[in-house]
Amino acid sequence: MLVVPQRFTGARSCVELYQNGTILDIYRSAREKLGKRPWAVDQFDSFKSHLLGEMPQAEGGAAKLGQRPWAVDQYEQFKTRLMGAGGSEEVPAGYRRAMIFVDNSGADVVLGMLPLTRELLRMGCEVVLVANSLPAINDITAPELRTLLSAASQSCPIIKEARNAALKVKQLTGGHIPPLERGGAKDEVSAVPSPRLYVIGSGHGSPCIDFTRVPDLVAEACVGTDLLIIEGMGRAVHTNLYTRFNCDTLKLAMIKTGRLAKRLFNGNLYDCICLFEDAATGKGGMAPMPHTPM
């Protein structure tokens, strides 16, 4: 962004630069300049040595992710609700539509949210994946997610069938995700096979999300949703940690700020939280902290 003229400001301008190809020209120019070393002041090798020296500590986050129990761990409650007290995969999920607000691109969505989505589909639950409409750090965007699902469909029949069904419905509805009503009328949409796998933009371009400010298309898709999954520190912790919804809610995040982990649950950097809030019983989640002066 340092090489972009000052008149280009804001996320919209960034998107316009990308669309008209100007950003690619800027990238090529910057790459040529950066590729000519040594620079006027060149301490990159020292920085690289320092960075690589820190790698063993950085790997602590991945190690904590695989260790249970997590700092806040309500996974067993979610597992019981999802698969029954016996934990049998043959028990229907009971959920009819899940809305998953995804977070990072790369391994996070490919190895995390995609397998979860596939499992819900396999259990007969319709899934709506909600991603950022505009770029924000390394968060995946809705267009990128659609491309990813197209690739995943080539090797996964479950995703392929659900995705094709969703695309058929959106053709019939003019791009809308119809509300999931119980005992709905018989029409062309109801004749499309289920479960379906939709993708929709959140209308946001931030790691956080304000659920009081979402597009009409997202609000329509919420009707009939009985499972909400919010992933990522920005969405699940910074903006919705204490928010209670009228459906079952799963909040997933790794805390990447040591001070915040300490304040929330006397935890540490890279601690993970898995909160399951049962709408029927009101159990689960975290109680709001008493206000204390900073």
Side-chain angles (χ1 to χ4, degrees):
M1 293 303 296
L2 295 178
V3 296
V4 179
Q6 291 183 355
R7 68 177 180 273
F8 296 119
T9 58
R12 181 179 297 276
S13 295
C14 292
V15 173
E16 291 173 352
L17 284 172
Y18 185 87
Q19 290 176 338
N20 64 26
T22 306
I23 197 70
L24 298 179
D25 294 333
I26 294 172
Y27 165 73
R28 293 188 190 99
S29 175
R31 184 183 61 183
E32 291 173 0
K33 291 181 180 179
L34 292 174
K36 297 176 181 178
R37 293 189 62 197
W39 305 312
V41 179
D42 190 349
Q43 297 179 349
F44 177 76
D45 290 330
S46 298
F47 167 72
K48 182 176 70 173
S49 299
H50 177 74
L51 179 65
L52 294 177
E54 297 293 329
M55 285 302 290
Q57 297 180 19
E59 291 174 358
K64 286 190 175 184
L65 183 61
Q67 295 175 354
R68 291 193 61 208
W70 298 307
V72 181
D73 194 339
Q74 297 174 0
Y75 169 74
E76 295 301 328
Q77 292 91 317
F78 173 65
K79 177 182 175 183
T80 298
R81 174 66 179 84
L82 183 66
M83 297 192 291
S88 171
E89 295 185 358
E90 301 303 320
V91 178
Y95 293 119
R96 300 181 68 237
R97 174 179 286 180
M99 290 192 72
I100 304 179
F101 286 77
V102 298
D103 188 30
N104 300 328
S105 57
D108 187 31
V109 66
V110 175
L111 302 180
M113 293 299 101
L114 203 55
L116 174 59
T117 295
R118 181 187 183 279
E119 187 65 11
L120 289 169
L121 291 170
R122 190 185 66 82
M123 301 178 83
C125 178
E126 186 168 281
V127 177
V128 181
L129 294 177
V130 189
N132 272 359
S133 298
L134 296 172
I137 53 177
N138 64 332
D139 290 0
I140 193 168
T141 62
E144 293 168 341
L145 187 54
R146 294 185 183 100
T147 301
L148 173 63
L149 291 180
S150 295
S153 297
Q154 303 304 312
S155 57
C156 180
I158 293 177
I159 291 178
K160 182 177 182 178
E161 292 174 9
R163 190 73 186 119
N164 288 341
L167 292 174
K168 177 63 175 177
V169 169
K170 295 189 80 170
Q171 287 179 349
L172 295 172
T173 61
H176 292 255
I177 299 176
L180 189 63
E181 303 283 4
R182 295 186 181 275
K186 298 296 182 181
D187 54 18
E188 287 185 292
V189 171
S190 62
V192 177
S194 204
R196 305 156 189 164
L197 174 56
Y198 299 98
V199 176
I200 191 170
S202 67
H204 288 247
S206 164
C208 301
I209 188 166
D210 180 354
F211 282 101
T212 67
R213 297 177 179 272
V214 296
D216 290 345
L217 291 176
V218 176
E220 289 174 0
C222 291
V223 178
T225 295
D226 47 10
L227 174 62
L228 172 64
I229 300 177
I230 311 173
E231 185 207 7
M233 190 170 77
R235 296 170 188 82
V237 177
H238 284 311
T239 45
N240 291 287
L241 181 62
Y242 302 126
T243 305
R244 304 294 295 209
F245 298 89
N246 60 5
C247 65
D248 288 357
T249 306
L250 185 67
K251 300 174 182 177
L252 306 168
M254 173 186 283
I255 307 302
K256 296 180 284 292
T257 306
R259 183 168 174 268
L260 179 62
K262 182 73 173 178
R263 179 175 174 80
L264 288 178
F265 45 81
N266 198 30
N268 300 297
L269 183 66
Y270 298 133
D271 275 346
C272 299
I273 66 170
C274 175
L275 297 173
F276 177 63
E277 300 167 358
D278 190 314
T281 64
K283 295 181 179 179
M286 288 181 64
M289 294 179 56
H291 175 73
T292 55
M294 296 296 289

Short mmCIF file of all heavy atoms in Angstrom, two decimals, residues 9 22 25 30 33 67 76 93 100 118 138 172 179 190 199 205 212 215 221 236-237 241 250 259:
data_model
loop_
_atom_site.label_atom_id
_atom_site.label_comp_id
_atom_site.label_asym_id
_atom_site.label_seq_id
_atom_site.Cartn_x
_atom_site.Cartn_y
_atom_site.Cartn_z
N THR A 9 -7.83 5.38 -1.28
CA THR A 9 -7.99 5.05 0.13
C THR A 9 -9.21 4.16 0.31
O THR A 9 -10.19 4.27 -0.41
CB THR A 9 -8.17 6.32 0.99
OG1 THR A 9 -9.32 7.04 0.51
CG2 THR A 9 -6.94 7.22 0.91
N THR A 22 -4.66 -2.38 -12.28
CA THR A 22 -3.61 -1.46 -11.84
C THR A 22 -2.78 -2.06 -10.72
O THR A 22 -1.56 -1.89 -10.67
CB THR A 22 -4.24 -0.14 -11.37
OG1 THR A 22 -5.08 0.37 -12.41
CG2 THR A 22 -3.17 0.88 -11.03
N ASP A 25 0.05 -4.14 -11.92
CA ASP A 25 1.17 -3.35 -12.41
C ASP A 25 2.02 -2.85 -11.24
O ASP A 25 3.26 -2.86 -11.30
CB ASP A 25 0.69 -2.17 -13.24
CG ASP A 25 0.01 -2.62 -14.54
OD1 ASP A 25 0.36 -3.71 -15.03
OD2 ASP A 25 -0.86 -1.89 -15.04
N ALA A 30 6.91 -3.18 -7.92
CA ALA A 30 7.49 -3.34 -6.59
C ALA A 30 8.36 -4.59 -6.52
O ALA A 30 9.42 -4.60 -5.89
CB ALA A 30 6.37 -3.40 -5.55
N LYS A 33 11.78 -3.95 -8.03
CA LYS A 33 12.65 -3.14 -7.18
C LYS A 33 13.14 -3.93 -5.98
O LYS A 33 14.31 -3.85 -5.60
CB LYS A 33 11.88 -1.90 -6.70
CG LYS A 33 11.59 -0.89 -7.81
CD LYS A 33 10.85 0.31 -7.26
CE LYS A 33 10.56 1.32 -8.37
NZ LYS A 33 9.83 2.50 -7.86
N GLN A 67 -3.95 -30.22 21.52
CA GLN A 67 -3.99 -30.75 22.88
C GLN A 67 -5.32 -30.43 23.55
O GLN A 67 -5.72 -29.27 23.62
CB GLN A 67 -2.83 -30.18 23.71
CG GLN A 67 -1.46 -30.60 23.22
CD GLN A 67 -0.34 -29.93 24.00
OE1 GLN A 67 -0.58 -29.06 24.83
NE2 GLN A 67 0.89 -30.32 23.73
N GLU A 76 -17.44 -31.56 24.15
CA GLU A 76 -18.22 -32.76 24.46
C GLU A 76 -19.71 -32.46 24.47
O GLU A 76 -20.52 -33.29 24.06
CB GLU A 76 -17.78 -33.35 25.80
CG GLU A 76 -16.34 -33.86 25.82
CD GLU A 76 -16.08 -34.94 24.78
OE1 GLU A 76 -17.02 -35.72 24.48
OE2 GLU A 76 -14.95 -35.02 24.26
N ALA A 93 -28.20 -35.78 13.05
CA ALA A 93 -27.75 -34.58 13.76
C ALA A 93 -28.91 -33.83 14.39
O ALA A 93 -28.78 -33.25 15.45
CB ALA A 93 -27.00 -33.67 12.80
N ILE A 100 -22.27 -21.16 8.92
CA ILE A 100 -20.89 -21.16 9.39
C ILE A 100 -20.20 -19.90 8.90
O ILE A 100 -20.04 -19.70 7.69
CB ILE A 100 -20.14 -22.41 8.90
CG1 ILE A 100 -20.88 -23.69 9.33
CG2 ILE A 100 -18.72 -22.41 9.44
CD1 ILE A 100 -20.20 -24.98 8.85
N ARG A 118 -18.57 -30.91 5.44
CA ARG A 118 -18.85 -32.21 4.82
C ARG A 118 -19.57 -33.13 5.80
O ARG A 118 -20.51 -33.84 5.44
CB ARG A 118 -17.55 -32.86 4.34
CG ARG A 118 -17.76 -34.21 3.66
CD ARG A 118 -16.43 -34.87 3.36
NE ARG A 118 -16.61 -36.13 2.65
CZ ARG A 118 -16.93 -37.28 3.23
NH1 ARG A 118 -17.11 -37.32 4.55
NH2 ARG A 118 -17.08 -38.37 2.51
N ASN A 138 -5.85 -12.11 6.13
CA ASN A 138 -5.80 -13.40 5.43
C ASN A 138 -7.14 -14.14 5.43
O ASN A 138 -7.19 -15.35 5.21
CB ASN A 138 -4.72 -14.30 6.04
CG ASN A 138 -5.02 -14.67 7.48
OD1 ASN A 138 -5.68 -13.91 8.20
ND2 ASN A 138 -4.53 -15.80 7.93
N LEU A 172 -33.33 -20.62 -9.28
CA LEU A 172 -34.79 -20.53 -9.19
C LEU A 172 -35.25 -19.31 -8.40
O LEU A 172 -36.36 -18.80 -8.63
CB LEU A 172 -35.35 -21.80 -8.55
CG LEU A 172 -35.17 -23.11 -9.34
CD1 LEU A 172 -35.59 -24.30 -8.49
CD2 LEU A 172 -35.99 -23.07 -10.63
N PRO A 179 -35.68 -18.92 2.97
CA PRO A 179 -35.84 -19.25 4.39
C PRO A 179 -36.20 -20.73 4.54
O PRO A 179 -36.94 -21.28 3.72
CB PRO A 179 -36.97 -18.34 4.86
CG PRO A 179 -36.98 -17.22 3.87
CD PRO A 179 -36.56 -17.82 2.57
N SER A 190 -38.59 -26.65 -3.35
CA SER A 190 -38.68 -27.80 -2.46
C SER A 190 -38.41 -29.11 -3.19
O SER A 190 -38.05 -30.11 -2.56
CB SER A 190 -40.07 -27.86 -1.81
OG SER A 190 -41.07 -28.02 -2.79
N VAL A 199 -23.05 -20.61 -0.46
CA VAL A 199 -22.00 -19.65 -0.10
C VAL A 199 -22.59 -18.26 -0.26
O VAL A 199 -23.27 -17.97 -1.25
CB VAL A 199 -20.76 -19.79 -0.99
CG1 VAL A 199 -19.74 -18.71 -0.64
CG2 VAL A 199 -20.13 -21.16 -0.84
N GLY A 205 -15.98 -6.45 5.44
CA GLY A 205 -14.60 -6.56 5.01
C GLY A 205 -13.69 -6.40 6.21
O GLY A 205 -12.77 -5.59 6.20
N THR A 212 -25.96 -7.06 13.75
CA THR A 212 -27.08 -6.14 13.54
C THR A 212 -26.94 -5.42 12.20
O THR A 212 -27.85 -4.70 11.80
CB THR A 212 -27.16 -5.09 14.67
OG1 THR A 212 -26.01 -4.24 14.61
CG2 THR A 212 -27.22 -5.76 16.03
N PRO A 215 -26.36 -7.88 5.29
CA PRO A 215 -27.23 -7.66 4.13
C PRO A 215 -28.53 -8.45 4.23
O PRO A 215 -28.63 -9.43 4.98
CB PRO A 215 -26.37 -8.17 2.95
CG PRO A 215 -24.98 -8.21 3.45
CD PRO A 215 -25.07 -8.49 4.92
N ALA A 221 -31.30 -15.83 4.89
CA ALA A 221 -30.76 -17.18 5.08
C ALA A 221 -30.80 -17.61 6.54
O ALA A 221 -30.76 -18.81 6.84
CB ALA A 221 -29.32 -17.24 4.56
N ALA A 236 -15.68 -14.41 16.83
CA ALA A 236 -16.19 -15.19 17.96
C ALA A 236 -15.87 -14.59 19.32
O ALA A 236 -16.63 -14.78 20.27
CB ALA A 236 -15.64 -16.62 17.89
N VAL A 237 -14.77 -13.84 19.41
CA VAL A 237 -14.34 -13.32 20.71
C VAL A 237 -14.50 -11.80 20.79
O VAL A 237 -15.24 -11.29 21.63
CB VAL A 237 -12.87 -13.71 21.01
CG1 VAL A 237 -12.41 -13.10 22.33
CG2 VAL A 237 -12.74 -15.23 21.05
N LEU A 241 -18.42 -12.67 21.81
CA LEU A 241 -18.15 -13.65 22.86
C LEU A 241 -19.34 -13.81 23.81
O LEU A 241 -19.70 -14.93 24.19
CB LEU A 241 -16.91 -13.23 23.65
CG LEU A 241 -16.49 -14.18 24.77
CD1 LEU A 241 -16.13 -15.56 24.22
CD2 LEU A 241 -15.30 -13.60 25.55
N LEU A 250 -21.96 -22.45 18.24
CA LEU A 250 -20.60 -22.94 18.50
C LEU A 250 -19.64 -21.82 18.15
O LEU A 250 -19.64 -21.32 17.03
CB LEU A 250 -20.32 -24.18 17.66
CG LEU A 250 -19.00 -24.90 17.88
CD1 LEU A 250 -18.96 -25.54 19.28
CD2 LEU A 250 -18.77 -25.97 16.82
N ARG A 259 -2.42 -10.95 26.53
CA ARG A 259 -3.13 -10.11 27.52
C ARG A 259 -4.62 -10.41 27.53
O ARG A 259 -5.25 -10.45 28.59
CB ARG A 259 -2.87 -8.64 27.18
CG ARG A 259 -3.49 -7.65 28.16
CD ARG A 259 -2.92 -6.26 27.90
NE ARG A 259 -3.58 -5.25 28.69
CZ ARG A 259 -4.63 -4.55 28.29
NH1 ARG A 259 -5.14 -4.78 27.09
NH2 ARG A 259 -5.16 -3.64 29.06
#
